[in-house]
Amino acid sequence: MNHPTPPALAVTGATKRFGAVLALDGVDLAVHHGEVLALLGDNGAGKSTLIGCLSGVHKLDGGAIHMDGEPVEITSPTTARAHGIETVYQDLALFDNLDPAANFYAGREVAGPRWLPRGLRYMRRGAMAGVTAEVLSRLQVGIPDTRASVGLMSGGQRQAIAVARAATFASRVVILDEPTAALGVRESRRVLELIRRLRDEGRAIIVISHAMDHVIEMADRAMIMRRGRKVGEVIPHADNRERIVSLIVGGDG
Amino acid sequence: MADTDNVLAARRPPWRFDAPQLALTTIRIGPGLMLVAVVIAAASLSPVFLTPRNIGNVLSQSAVIAVLALAQLLVIITRGIDLSVGSTLALSAVVGALVFSSTPSGPLVVLAMLATGALVGAVNGTVFVWGRLPHPFIVTLATLSIARGLALWLSGGQPLQGMPQIVRDIGGGSLGWFPYSGFLVAGLALLGLLLTTRLVWGRWIYAVGGNPDGARRAAVPVNRVVISVYVLSGLAAGIGAVITSGRLNGGSPTFGELAELDTIAAVVIGGASFLGGRGTIANALVGALMIGVIRNGMNLLNVDAFLQPIVIGAVIVLAVELDVVRGRVEQRLRVMKAAQT
């Protein structure tokens, strides 16, 4: 594929060290608007560390990050968000005791007046519920009652809410960590459709997944990591499945 | 306007008879129903119970537990607990009495009591958060001991007589039969309602209680939120000190003994969960009133005073059991809803 515009997110020479362990060793990654990039690799390959550096949980020791061609620094979850990057963690980070709207806006409540300290502002609950209902219906997330607490919903609905929350606030990049790992066949299907819709809305999407069928189905490109390095990049297809697997486990292993 | 219709349909499902949903709603307002039942029982057993004078009594006797329970609720919502409130109340009252012995200024005495309470709360919260303690049980247990010890030491173990007029009014005055302390509780409850349901901070305490890690990742200032609930709990102990020492016209190091257990009982009877993230101001108030009504009713009926703790204990078990049933019904509801989609 030829892209006239710079990638939504580009990482060059990413390096991260935890004590004596070199978790990332000069990794390059680029993902464009309207593209789904699958990040593959065995346990300990460095996927989670790389994702952590993009979502602000970790800080890169070396390397550069560009967004839409502009150099940026990601030092905390807040700065990642400010750059339009949202992450759906494997544990979803949902608040089971709160309804979808409260989950969407946790930590970024719509409230005023502005001259008050953030915690003392009066919430605009109607506005938050309105946007939430609008997003859930636009992304065709089937939630029977959007005022019920998230803890009362099924695994697929919870996953969908977490993804929809990320989509609402991610102007540029959505990162998904194992979005279908805990789901049944039908629920996985819904989440895959949801990811496709986000892509069609022009977001850049990075997905970590071990489910090869899902990768082949949703990803435009797959990047394979092993021992902190990037070892390959392929366009996933049923025909090169074997090659991807051998890249993941390593030719010598 | 098909889109708007869709949005509305998504928000509010068409009403139909829904047995588990109905059961859930009933259980959720369960504490309120229990209070109504207890009031009806007390009223039918004793002709005195519903007289204005006695209702005034119930309110003024429940006021301190209610104030402490409102704040304990905030602490418990964040998965915490504050065991020190009774001792903090005593310390605040003693400090207030000492201040009164050197200045007649009513506002200064009140301020001293509130500040003492808030300070103890700030110590609780700060030590818990910055000491990275696994659970606030330990730090507030330590404060329970320290604050009581300070109160005894500062007072020489003796009750200190005398409180300024304003304090005596707050603790013992009334408008007709309605005690001023009742108005104070109502005002604080409204404030609590505003905090917990309308302000961002309230959303944060539920978020912290529901998923502390998630809250941290969502950029909720978790540490500040946690410290703030302990400060408010300490402040509530200061307010409790004003009411108690006003009613008894003095400050004593023995004030508030076992008050922490009453407040926790009230919050639990009100359906809050120790697992955090759940509980409402209205139900905490209901829990405090329930304890007050049961005690008052048993006094009116000349029930042996030694039996009262047993009855309160039984009510706690009943309330917690109700919460367990609620959890089961919610679980069933979830399975049913998942099957529908």
Side-chain angles (χ1 to χ4, degrees), chain A residues 81 89 91 94-95 97 107 109 111 118-119 121-123 125 145-147 151-153 157 186, chain B residues 10-11 198-201 203-204 206-207 210-211 214-215 217-219 277 330 334 338 341:
Chain A
R81 277 185 186 174
Y89 298 95
D91 66 4
L94 289 175
F95 303 94
N97 55 333
E109 291 79 4
R118 207 151 62 98
R121 292 181 193 162
Y122 193 91
M123 291 190 287
R125 294 179 305 155
D145 180 0
T146 56
R147 290 168 308 158
L152 293 178
M153 295 176 187
Q157 289 170 337
R186 205 169 39 146
Chain B
R11 205 180 303 173
R198 295 293 187 272
L199 301 193
V200 172
W201 181 85
R203 187 56 66 69
W204 285 348
Y206 284 99
N211 184 347
R217 277 184 265 167
E330 281 190 353
R334 163 150 78 165
T341 48

mmCIF file of all heavy atoms in Angstrom, chain A residues 81 89 91 94-95 97 107 109 111 118-119 121-123 125 145-147 151-153 157 186, chain B residues 10-11 198-201 203-204 206-207 210-211 214-215 217-219 277 330 334 338 341:
data_model
loop_
_atom_site.group_PDB
_atom_site.id
_atom_site.type_symbol
_atom_site.label_atom_id
_atom_site.label_comp_id
_atom_site.label_asym_id
_atom_site.label_seq_id
_atom_site.Cartn_x
_atom_site.Cartn_y
_atom_site.Cartn_z
ATOM 1 N N ARG A 81 -3.396 10.143 26.029
ATOM 2 C CA ARG A 81 -4.764 10.519 25.715
ATOM 3 C C ARG A 81 -4.842 11.854 25.020
ATOM 4 O O ARG A 81 -5.626 12.033 24.102
ATOM 5 C CB ARG A 81 -5.550 10.643 27.004
ATOM 6 C CG ARG A 81 -6.018 9.322 27.418
ATOM 7 C CD ARG A 81 -6.865 9.509 28.606
ATOM 8 N NE ARG A 81 -7.195 8.208 29.088
ATOM 9 C CZ ARG A 81 -7.834 7.991 30.193
ATOM 10 N NH1 ARG A 81 -8.200 9.024 30.926
ATOM 11 N NH2 ARG A 81 -8.107 6.792 30.543
ATOM 12 N N TYR A 89 -7.463 -2.194 27.689
ATOM 13 C CA TYR A 89 -6.632 -3.199 28.339
ATOM 14 C C TYR A 89 -7.356 -4.539 28.355
ATOM 15 O O TYR A 89 -8.572 -4.610 28.236
ATOM 16 C CB TYR A 89 -6.303 -2.764 29.763
ATOM 17 C CG TYR A 89 -5.525 -1.479 29.818
ATOM 18 C CD1 TYR A 89 -6.172 -0.262 29.997
ATOM 19 C CD2 TYR A 89 -4.150 -1.475 29.655
ATOM 20 C CE1 TYR A 89 -5.477 0.928 30.032
ATOM 21 C CE2 TYR A 89 -3.435 -0.290 29.692
ATOM 22 C CZ TYR A 89 -4.098 0.910 29.883
ATOM 23 O OH TYR A 89 -3.407 2.086 29.909
ATOM 24 N N ASP A 91 -7.936 -6.402 30.838
ATOM 25 C CA ASP A 91 -8.910 -6.497 31.937
ATOM 26 C C ASP A 91 -10.039 -5.474 31.759
ATOM 27 O O ASP A 91 -10.892 -5.335 32.621
ATOM 28 C CB ASP A 91 -8.217 -6.303 33.284
ATOM 29 C CG ASP A 91 -7.662 -4.889 33.452
ATOM 30 O OD1 ASP A 91 -7.881 -4.050 32.570
ATOM 31 O OD2 ASP A 91 -7.015 -4.624 34.474
ATOM 32 N N LEU A 94 -12.979 -1.557 33.382
ATOM 33 C CA LEU A 94 -14.339 -1.020 33.528
ATOM 34 C C LEU A 94 -14.680 -0.876 35.006
ATOM 35 O O LEU A 94 -14.077 -1.518 35.858
ATOM 36 C CB LEU A 94 -15.353 -1.954 32.871
ATOM 37 C CG LEU A 94 -15.352 -2.010 31.350
ATOM 38 C CD1 LEU A 94 -16.330 -3.074 30.872
ATOM 39 C CD2 LEU A 94 -15.712 -0.661 30.747
ATOM 40 N N PHE A 95 -15.660 -0.043 35.273
ATOM 41 C CA PHE A 95 -16.173 0.104 36.628
ATOM 42 C C PHE A 95 -17.516 -0.619 36.684
ATOM 43 O O PHE A 95 -18.529 -0.110 36.198
ATOM 44 C CB PHE A 95 -16.314 1.582 36.983
ATOM 45 C CG PHE A 95 -15.017 2.326 36.842
ATOM 46 C CD1 PHE A 95 -14.711 2.995 35.662
ATOM 47 C CD2 PHE A 95 -14.087 2.329 37.872
ATOM 48 C CE1 PHE A 95 -13.497 3.655 35.519
ATOM 49 C CE2 PHE A 95 -12.879 2.989 37.733
ATOM 50 C CZ PHE A 95 -12.585 3.647 36.562
ATOM 51 N N ASN A 97 -19.554 -1.144 38.934
ATOM 52 C CA ASN A 97 -20.621 -0.550 39.734
ATOM 53 C C ASN A 97 -21.244 0.676 39.074
ATOM 54 O O ASN A 97 -22.175 1.255 39.610
ATOM 55 C CB ASN A 97 -20.079 -0.170 41.123
ATOM 56 C CG ASN A 97 -18.859 0.748 41.031
ATOM 57 O OD1 ASN A 97 -18.127 0.721 40.054
ATOM 58 N ND2 ASN A 97 -18.667 1.574 42.030
ATOM 59 N N GLY A 107 -12.897 9.955 34.992
ATOM 60 C CA GLY A 107 -11.635 10.677 34.911
ATOM 61 C C GLY A 107 -11.655 11.829 33.929
ATOM 62 O O GLY A 107 -10.685 12.574 33.842
ATOM 63 N N GLU A 109 -14.906 13.625 33.306
ATOM 64 C CA GLU A 109 -16.307 13.988 33.398
ATOM 65 C C GLU A 109 -16.561 15.356 32.761
ATOM 66 O O GLU A 109 -15.749 16.269 32.878
ATOM 67 C CB GLU A 109 -16.744 14.022 34.867
ATOM 68 C CG GLU A 109 -16.795 12.666 35.552
ATOM 69 C CD GLU A 109 -15.425 12.150 35.987
ATOM 70 O OE1 GLU A 109 -14.433 12.884 35.821
ATOM 71 O OE2 GLU A 109 -15.367 11.011 36.482
ATOM 72 N N ALA A 111 -18.175 18.606 33.143
ATOM 73 C CA ALA A 111 -18.675 19.289 34.327
ATOM 74 C C ALA A 111 -18.221 20.736 34.336
ATOM 75 O O ALA A 111 -17.297 21.119 33.628
ATOM 76 C CB ALA A 111 -18.177 18.580 35.591
ATOM 77 N N ARG A 118 -11.481 20.675 39.767
ATOM 78 C CA ARG A 118 -12.147 19.658 38.960
ATOM 79 C C ARG A 118 -13.145 18.816 39.767
ATOM 80 O O ARG A 118 -14.255 18.556 39.332
ATOM 81 C CB ARG A 118 -11.075 18.747 38.339
ATOM 82 C CG ARG A 118 -11.470 18.104 37.049
ATOM 83 C CD ARG A 118 -10.237 17.837 36.176
ATOM 84 N NE ARG A 118 -9.296 16.914 36.782
ATOM 85 C CZ ARG A 118 -9.237 15.601 36.501
ATOM 86 N NH1 ARG A 118 -10.086 15.082 35.650
ATOM 87 N NH2 ARG A 118 -8.340 14.843 37.063
ATOM 88 N N GLY A 119 -12.728 18.394 40.968
ATOM 89 C CA GLY A 119 -13.567 17.500 41.758
ATOM 90 C C GLY A 119 -14.865 18.125 42.225
ATOM 91 O O GLY A 119 -15.841 17.429 42.499
ATOM 92 N N ARG A 121 -16.707 20.296 40.522
ATOM 93 C CA ARG A 121 -17.587 20.741 39.439
ATOM 94 C C ARG A 121 -18.855 19.910 39.381
ATOM 95 O O ARG A 121 -18.851 18.732 39.742
ATOM 96 C CB ARG A 121 -16.849 20.660 38.107
ATOM 97 C CG ARG A 121 -15.724 21.676 38.031
ATOM 98 C CD ARG A 121 -15.023 21.596 36.702
ATOM 99 N NE ARG A 121 -13.773 22.351 36.776
ATOM 100 C CZ ARG A 121 -12.781 22.204 35.925
ATOM 101 N NH1 ARG A 121 -12.887 21.343 34.938
ATOM 102 N NH2 ARG A 121 -11.691 22.918 36.059
ATOM 103 N N TYR A 122 -19.906 20.547 38.882
ATOM 104 C CA TYR A 122 -21.214 19.902 38.781
ATOM 105 C C TYR A 122 -21.290 19.165 37.441
ATOM 106 O O TYR A 122 -21.050 19.742 36.382
ATOM 107 C CB TYR A 122 -22.298 20.983 38.855
ATOM 108 C CG TYR A 122 -23.688 20.451 39.075
ATOM 109 C CD1 TYR A 122 -24.196 20.294 40.367
ATOM 110 C CD2 TYR A 122 -24.500 20.128 37.997
ATOM 111 C CE1 TYR A 122 -25.473 19.813 40.569
ATOM 112 C CE2 TYR A 122 -25.788 19.647 38.194
ATOM 113 C CZ TYR A 122 -26.266 19.494 39.485
ATOM 114 O OH TYR A 122 -27.531 19.018 39.684
ATOM 115 N N MET A 123 -21.607 17.869 37.515
ATOM 116 C CA MET A 123 -21.561 17.062 36.288
ATOM 117 C C MET A 123 -22.740 17.369 35.369
ATOM 118 O O MET A 123 -23.853 17.582 35.828
ATOM 119 C CB MET A 123 -21.583 15.574 36.647
ATOM 120 C CG MET A 123 -20.327 15.087 37.324
ATOM 121 S SD MET A 123 -20.315 13.295 37.462
ATOM 122 C CE MET A 123 -21.523 13.049 38.753
ATOM 123 N N ARG A 125 -24.748 15.452 33.513
ATOM 124 C CA ARG A 125 -25.021 14.028 33.334
ATOM 125 C C ARG A 125 -25.804 13.753 32.059
ATOM 126 O O ARG A 125 -25.617 12.743 31.399
ATOM 127 C CB ARG A 125 -25.758 13.489 34.552
ATOM 128 C CG ARG A 125 -24.872 13.521 35.812
ATOM 129 C CD ARG A 125 -25.618 13.011 37.007
ATOM 130 N NE ARG A 125 -26.862 13.751 37.188
ATOM 131 C CZ ARG A 125 -27.926 13.278 37.806
ATOM 132 N NH1 ARG A 125 -27.908 12.079 38.304
ATOM 133 N NH2 ARG A 125 -29.000 14.031 37.926
ATOM 134 N N ASP A 145 -30.211 -1.940 28.267
ATOM 135 C CA ASP A 145 -30.559 -0.836 29.153
ATOM 136 C C ASP A 145 -29.281 -0.080 29.492
ATOM 137 O O ASP A 145 -28.459 -0.563 30.254
ATOM 138 C CB ASP A 145 -31.222 -1.390 30.423
ATOM 139 C CG ASP A 145 -31.617 -0.264 31.382
ATOM 140 O OD1 ASP A 145 -31.377 0.913 31.040
ATOM 141 O OD2 ASP A 145 -32.158 -0.576 32.455
ATOM 142 N N THR A 146 -29.138 1.126 28.899
ATOM 143 C CA THR A 146 -27.870 1.834 29.080
ATOM 144 C C THR A 146 -27.760 2.498 30.449
ATOM 145 O O THR A 146 -26.778 3.150 30.732
ATOM 146 C CB THR A 146 -27.660 2.907 27.992
ATOM 147 O OG1 THR A 146 -28.774 3.792 28.016
ATOM 148 C CG2 THR A 146 -27.525 2.268 26.635
ATOM 149 N N ARG A 147 -28.772 2.338 31.296
ATOM 150 C CA ARG A 147 -28.639 2.893 32.640
ATOM 151 C C ARG A 147 -28.234 1.832 33.654
ATOM 152 O O ARG A 147 -27.987 2.130 34.806
ATOM 153 C CB ARG A 147 -29.952 3.553 33.086
ATOM 154 C CG ARG A 147 -30.262 4.845 32.322
ATOM 155 C CD ARG A 147 -31.684 5.255 32.601
ATOM 156 N NE ARG A 147 -32.574 4.112 32.348
ATOM 157 C CZ ARG A 147 -33.793 3.981 32.866
ATOM 158 N NH1 ARG A 147 -34.260 4.904 33.660
ATOM 159 N NH2 ARG A 147 -34.529 2.937 32.573
ATOM 160 N N GLY A 151 -21.514 -4.065 35.410
ATOM 161 C CA GLY A 151 -21.314 -5.375 36.017
ATOM 162 C C GLY A 151 -22.437 -6.355 35.707
ATOM 163 O O GLY A 151 -22.268 -7.558 35.834
ATOM 164 N N LEU A 152 -23.595 -5.819 35.308
ATOM 165 C CA LEU A 152 -24.726 -6.694 35.012
ATOM 166 C C LEU A 152 -24.739 -7.152 33.564
ATOM 167 O O LEU A 152 -25.662 -7.827 33.134
ATOM 168 C CB LEU A 152 -26.047 -5.970 35.312
ATOM 169 C CG LEU A 152 -26.323 -5.649 36.775
ATOM 170 C CD1 LEU A 152 -27.623 -4.892 36.934
ATOM 171 C CD2 LEU A 152 -26.368 -6.939 37.588
ATOM 172 N N MET A 153 -23.715 -6.765 32.803
ATOM 173 C CA MET A 153 -23.745 -7.079 31.371
ATOM 174 C C MET A 153 -22.880 -8.292 31.035
ATOM 175 O O MET A 153 -22.016 -8.691 31.807
ATOM 176 C CB MET A 153 -23.295 -5.867 30.579
ATOM 177 C CG MET A 153 -24.291 -4.729 30.755
ATOM 178 S SD MET A 153 -23.790 -3.240 29.947
ATOM 179 C CE MET A 153 -25.069 -2.120 30.534
ATOM 180 N N GLN A 157 -20.772 -7.669 25.819
ATOM 181 C CA GLN A 157 -21.256 -6.298 25.973
ATOM 182 C C GLN A 157 -20.217 -5.445 26.696
ATOM 183 O O GLN A 157 -19.991 -4.284 26.343
ATOM 184 C CB GLN A 157 -22.573 -6.293 26.755
ATOM 185 C CG GLN A 157 -23.728 -6.864 25.959
ATOM 186 C CD GLN A 157 -24.961 -7.090 26.815
ATOM 187 O OE1 GLN A 157 -24.866 -7.231 28.039
ATOM 188 N NE2 GLN A 157 -26.110 -7.129 26.177
ATOM 189 N N ARG A 186 -19.821 -16.040 19.030
ATOM 190 C CA ARG A 186 -20.744 -15.011 18.561
ATOM 191 C C ARG A 186 -20.330 -13.634 19.067
ATOM 192 O O ARG A 186 -20.390 -12.648 18.347
ATOM 193 C CB ARG A 186 -22.150 -15.350 19.054
ATOM 194 C CG ARG A 186 -23.223 -14.766 18.191
ATOM 195 C CD ARG A 186 -24.569 -15.348 18.565
ATOM 196 N NE ARG A 186 -24.666 -15.498 20.006
ATOM 197 C CZ ARG A 186 -25.794 -15.336 20.688
ATOM 198 N NH1 ARG A 186 -26.894 -15.006 20.053
ATOM 199 N NH2 ARG A 186 -25.826 -15.504 21.992
ATOM 200 N N ALA B 10 -32.697 2.967 23.091
ATOM 201 C CA ALA B 10 -31.548 2.330 23.701
ATOM 202 C C ALA B 10 -31.478 2.671 25.184
ATOM 203 O O ALA B 10 -31.048 1.865 25.998
ATOM 204 C CB ALA B 10 -30.279 2.784 23.005
ATOM 205 N N ARG B 11 -31.910 3.882 25.522
ATOM 206 C CA ARG B 11 -31.779 4.304 26.905
ATOM 207 C C ARG B 11 -32.852 3.681 27.797
ATOM 208 O O ARG B 11 -32.611 3.324 28.921
ATOM 209 C CB ARG B 11 -31.861 5.831 26.978
ATOM 210 C CG ARG B 11 -31.155 6.368 28.187
ATOM 211 C CD ARG B 11 -31.234 7.872 28.245
ATOM 212 N NE ARG B 11 -30.703 8.516 27.054
ATOM 213 C CZ ARG B 11 -30.802 9.823 26.849
ATOM 214 N NH1 ARG B 11 -31.414 10.591 27.712
ATOM 215 N NH2 ARG B 11 -30.303 10.360 25.753
ATOM 216 N N ARG B 198 -23.907 14.351 42.242
ATOM 217 C CA ARG B 198 -23.887 15.414 41.258
ATOM 218 C C ARG B 198 -22.494 15.954 40.962
ATOM 219 O O ARG B 198 -22.249 16.449 39.873
ATOM 220 C CB ARG B 198 -24.769 16.593 41.731
ATOM 221 C CG ARG B 198 -26.239 16.253 41.843
ATOM 222 C CD ARG B 198 -26.824 15.972 40.473
ATOM 223 N NE ARG B 198 -28.265 15.809 40.498
ATOM 224 C CZ ARG B 198 -28.890 14.652 40.710
ATOM 225 N NH1 ARG B 198 -28.181 13.563 40.956
ATOM 226 N NH2 ARG B 198 -30.196 14.574 40.697
ATOM 227 N N LEU B 199 -21.588 15.861 41.919
ATOM 228 C CA LEU B 199 -20.269 16.440 41.696
ATOM 229 C C LEU B 199 -19.288 15.381 41.206
ATOM 230 O O LEU B 199 -19.441 14.186 41.487
ATOM 231 C CB LEU B 199 -19.736 17.083 42.983
ATOM 232 C CG LEU B 199 -20.595 18.199 43.588
ATOM 233 C CD1 LEU B 199 -19.808 18.943 44.651
ATOM 234 C CD2 LEU B 199 -21.089 19.175 42.526
ATOM 235 N N VAL B 200 -18.283 15.838 40.485
ATOM 236 C CA VAL B 200 -17.279 14.937 39.919
ATOM 237 C C VAL B 200 -16.619 14.099 41.018
ATOM 238 O O VAL B 200 -16.410 12.899 40.865
ATOM 239 C CB VAL B 200 -16.220 15.758 39.153
ATOM 240 C CG1 VAL B 200 -15.057 14.882 38.725
ATOM 241 C CG2 VAL B 200 -16.858 16.435 37.939
ATOM 242 N N TRP B 201 -16.348 14.746 42.141
ATOM 243 C CA TRP B 201 -15.693 14.030 43.257
ATOM 244 C C TRP B 201 -16.489 12.789 43.659
ATOM 245 O O TRP B 201 -15.913 11.737 43.968
ATOM 246 C CB TRP B 201 -15.556 14.993 44.445
ATOM 247 C CG TRP B 201 -14.875 14.408 45.638
ATOM 248 C CD1 TRP B 201 -13.536 14.339 45.874
ATOM 249 C CD2 TRP B 201 -15.504 13.790 46.751
ATOM 250 N NE1 TRP B 201 -13.306 13.721 47.072
ATOM 251 C CE2 TRP B 201 -14.500 13.380 47.630
ATOM 252 C CE3 TRP B 201 -16.841 13.551 47.105
ATOM 253 C CZ2 TRP B 201 -14.772 12.738 48.836
ATOM 254 C CZ3 TRP B 201 -17.123 12.909 48.299
ATOM 255 C CH2 TRP B 201 -16.083 12.512 49.149
ATOM 256 N N ARG B 203 -18.455 10.972 41.756
ATOM 257 C CA ARG B 203 -18.232 9.940 40.748
ATOM 258 C C ARG B 203 -16.891 9.257 40.987
ATOM 259 O O ARG B 203 -16.744 8.056 40.873
ATOM 260 C CB ARG B 203 -18.267 10.623 39.367
ATOM 261 C CG ARG B 203 -18.219 9.733 38.167
ATOM 262 C CD ARG B 203 -19.276 8.678 38.106
ATOM 263 N NE ARG B 203 -20.665 9.066 37.964
ATOM 264 C CZ ARG B 203 -21.229 9.616 36.904
ATOM 265 N NH1 ARG B 203 -20.520 9.935 35.855
ATOM 266 N NH2 ARG B 203 -22.508 9.866 36.892
ATOM 267 N N TRP B 204 -15.901 10.054 41.396
ATOM 268 C CA TRP B 204 -14.563 9.508 41.641
ATOM 269 C C TRP B 204 -14.555 8.519 42.798
ATOM 270 O O TRP B 204 -13.867 7.504 42.734
ATOM 271 C CB TRP B 204 -13.570 10.654 41.925
ATOM 272 C CG TRP B 204 -13.180 11.416 40.699
ATOM 273 C CD1 TRP B 204 -13.432 11.053 39.400
ATOM 274 C CD2 TRP B 204 -12.481 12.651 40.633
ATOM 275 N NE1 TRP B 204 -12.934 12.005 38.556
ATOM 276 C CE2 TRP B 204 -12.346 12.983 39.278
ATOM 277 C CE3 TRP B 204 -11.948 13.509 41.613
ATOM 278 C CZ2 TRP B 204 -11.690 14.151 38.863
ATOM 279 C CZ3 TRP B 204 -11.304 14.662 41.204
ATOM 280 C CH2 TRP B 204 -11.176 14.972 39.843
ATOM 281 N N TYR B 206 -16.884 6.557 43.800
ATOM 282 C CA TYR B 206 -17.453 5.291 43.334
ATOM 283 C C TYR B 206 -16.481 4.591 42.377
ATOM 284 O O TYR B 206 -16.360 3.366 42.386
ATOM 285 C CB TYR B 206 -18.801 5.513 42.646
ATOM 286 C CG TYR B 206 -19.927 5.778 43.618
ATOM 287 C CD1 TYR B 206 -20.356 7.064 43.876
ATOM 288 C CD2 TYR B 206 -20.558 4.724 44.276
ATOM 289 C CE1 TYR B 206 -21.378 7.311 44.770
ATOM 290 C CE2 TYR B 206 -21.587 4.955 45.173
ATOM 291 C CZ TYR B 206 -21.998 6.259 45.421
ATOM 292 O OH TYR B 206 -23.005 6.499 46.311
ATOM 293 N N ALA B 207 -15.800 5.354 41.549
ATOM 294 C CA ALA B 207 -14.837 4.766 40.607
ATOM 295 C C ALA B 207 -13.678 4.120 41.367
ATOM 296 O O ALA B 207 -13.271 3.004 41.069
ATOM 297 C CB ALA B 207 -14.324 5.837 39.643
ATOM 298 N N GLY B 210 -14.957 0.989 42.924
ATOM 299 C CA GLY B 210 -15.315 -0.041 41.952
ATOM 300 C C GLY B 210 -14.100 -0.690 41.316
ATOM 301 O O GLY B 210 -14.081 -1.898 41.085
ATOM 302 N N ASN B 211 -13.074 0.100 41.041
ATOM 303 C CA ASN B 211 -11.891 -0.421 40.351
ATOM 304 C C ASN B 211 -10.732 0.564 40.548
ATOM 305 O O ASN B 211 -10.527 1.460 39.721
ATOM 306 C CB ASN B 211 -12.221 -0.601 38.865
ATOM 307 C CG ASN B 211 -11.077 -1.238 38.087
ATOM 308 O OD1 ASN B 211 -9.961 -1.331 38.579
ATOM 309 N ND2 ASN B 211 -11.371 -1.677 36.872
ATOM 310 N N GLY B 214 -8.258 0.724 37.649
ATOM 311 C CA GLY B 214 -8.916 1.360 36.509
ATOM 312 C C GLY B 214 -9.013 2.862 36.716
ATOM 313 O O GLY B 214 -8.800 3.644 35.794
ATOM 314 N N ALA B 215 -9.340 3.262 37.951
ATOM 315 C CA ALA B 215 -9.463 4.688 38.249
ATOM 316 C C ALA B 215 -8.126 5.389 38.042
ATOM 317 O O ALA B 215 -8.053 6.472 37.468
ATOM 318 C CB ALA B 215 -9.953 4.885 39.681
ATOM 319 N N ARG B 217 -5.706 4.444 36.065
ATOM 320 C CA ARG B 217 -5.416 4.521 34.624
ATOM 321 C C ARG B 217 -6.305 5.546 33.937
ATOM 322 O O ARG B 217 -5.953 6.073 32.892
ATOM 323 C CB ARG B 217 -5.606 3.154 33.980
ATOM 324 C CG ARG B 217 -4.397 2.252 34.140
ATOM 325 C CD ARG B 217 -4.583 0.954 33.424
ATOM 326 N NE ARG B 217 -5.083 -0.065 34.317
ATOM 327 C CZ ARG B 217 -5.573 -1.241 33.902
ATOM 328 N NH1 ARG B 217 -5.642 -1.509 32.621
ATOM 329 N NH2 ARG B 217 -6.000 -2.104 34.761
ATOM 330 N N ALA B 218 -7.490 5.802 34.527
ATOM 331 C CA ALA B 218 -8.389 6.789 33.934
ATOM 332 C C ALA B 218 -8.055 8.201 34.410
ATOM 333 O O ALA B 218 -8.845 9.123 34.218
ATOM 334 C CB ALA B 218 -9.839 6.447 34.281
ATOM 335 N N ALA B 219 -6.900 8.353 35.061
ATOM 336 C CA ALA B 219 -6.427 9.664 35.505
ATOM 337 C C ALA B 219 -7.292 10.274 36.595
ATOM 338 O O ALA B 219 -7.327 11.485 36.776
ATOM 339 C CB ALA B 219 -6.294 10.637 34.319
ATOM 340 N N GLY B 277 -17.589 0.661 46.302
ATOM 341 C CA GLY B 277 -18.302 1.077 45.107
ATOM 342 C C GLY B 277 -19.815 1.099 45.215
ATOM 343 O O GLY B 277 -20.486 1.486 44.269
ATOM 344 N N GLU B 330 -28.996 -10.260 41.051
ATOM 345 C CA GLU B 330 -28.297 -9.528 39.981
ATOM 346 C C GLU B 330 -27.600 -10.495 39.042
ATOM 347 O O GLU B 330 -27.617 -10.328 37.826
ATOM 348 C CB GLU B 330 -27.282 -8.559 40.588
ATOM 349 C CG GLU B 330 -27.920 -7.299 41.112
ATOM 350 C CD GLU B 330 -26.900 -6.247 41.493
ATOM 351 O OE1 GLU B 330 -25.682 -6.539 41.466
ATOM 352 O OE2 GLU B 330 -27.322 -5.140 41.825
ATOM 353 N N ARG B 334 -28.232 -11.017 35.092
ATOM 354 C CA ARG B 334 -27.189 -10.875 34.096
ATOM 355 C C ARG B 334 -27.232 -12.055 33.112
ATOM 356 O O ARG B 334 -27.162 -11.886 31.907
ATOM 357 C CB ARG B 334 -25.832 -10.823 34.795
ATOM 358 C CG ARG B 334 -24.692 -11.097 33.828
ATOM 359 C CD ARG B 334 -23.462 -10.417 34.189
ATOM 360 N NE ARG B 334 -22.754 -11.082 35.257
ATOM 361 C CZ ARG B 334 -21.480 -10.809 35.543
ATOM 362 N NH1 ARG B 334 -20.861 -9.893 34.858
ATOM 363 N NH2 ARG B 334 -20.869 -11.421 36.508
ATOM 364 N N ALA B 338 -27.983 -11.722 29.177
ATOM 365 C CA ALA B 338 -26.995 -12.177 28.203
ATOM 366 C C ALA B 338 -27.646 -13.169 27.232
ATOM 367 O O ALA B 338 -27.330 -13.190 26.040
ATOM 368 C CB ALA B 338 -25.822 -12.837 28.922
ATOM 369 N N THR B 341 -29.642 -11.414 24.298
ATOM 370 C CA THR B 341 -28.992 -10.704 23.187
ATOM 371 C C THR B 341 -28.289 -11.668 22.246
ATOM 372 O O THR B 341 -28.026 -12.787 22.578
ATOM 373 C CB THR B 341 -27.972 -9.682 23.706
ATOM 374 O OG1 THR B 341 -27.160 -10.324 24.677
ATOM 375 C CG2 THR B 341 -28.682 -8.513 24.306
#
